[in-house]
């Protein structure tokens, strides 16, 4: 059995806390991403009608920066395709 010093134990506890914090941060980022994607899909549907599955998939797999850019473009776009150009 390996001996663990008190300093090592403190480090392990801090590591556990850091791991939990990182998990929470990742969860929040994922939640924001999903929320933005859902909102954009609702806006697209209201503005242009039915949203095809390929567009839904593209929005669902997009990064936050893309979603933000498309959310701005929707106000000036004449068509669904124009939003994604």
């Amino acid at each position: 059995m390996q001996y663990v010093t008190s300093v090592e134990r403190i480090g392990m506890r801090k590591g556990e806390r850091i791991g939990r914090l990182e998990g929470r941060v990742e969860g929040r980022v994922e939640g924001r991403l999903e929320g933005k994607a859902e909102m954009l899909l609702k806006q697209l549907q209201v503005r242009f009608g039915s949203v095809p599955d390929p567009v839904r998939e593209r929005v669902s797999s997009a990064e936050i920066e893309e979603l933000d850019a498309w959310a701005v473009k929707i106000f000036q776009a004449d068509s669904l395709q124009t939003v994604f150009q």
Side-chain angles (χ1 to χ4, degrees):
M1 186 162 151
Q2 184 180 7
Y3 179 74
V4 179
T5 67
S6 57
V7 172
E8 289 172 322
R9 266 186 253 123
I10 291 170
M12 287 189 282
R13 278 190 238 133
K14 283 186 180 180
E16 290 172 5
R17 279 183 265 173
I18 290 171
R20 286 193 300 262
L21 287 174
E22 287 173 348
R24 282 190 222 142
V25 169
E26 287 177 20
R28 286 183 185 144
V29 169
E30 280 184 36
R32 285 185 57 210
L33 186 63
E34 289 174 11
K36 285 183 179 228
E38 287 178 23
M39 181 57 70
L40 180 60
L41 288 170
K42 286 178 186 177
Q43 290 172 331
L44 291 169
Q45 185 176 11
V46 168
R47 176 87 191 236
F48 302 110
S50 179
V51 179
D53 287 339
V55 172
R56 289 182 175 282
E57 290 171 16
R58 184 171 180 187
V59 169
S60 296
S61 64
E63 297 295 325
I64 287 179
E65 295 81 14
E66 290 177 302
L67 294 171
D68 287 341
W70 296 334
V72 172
K73 281 185 167 184
I74 197 171
F75 294 109
Q76 301 165 338
D78 294 331
S79 68
L80 187 59
Q81 291 76 21
T82 308
V83 174
F84 299 99
Q85 289 179 343

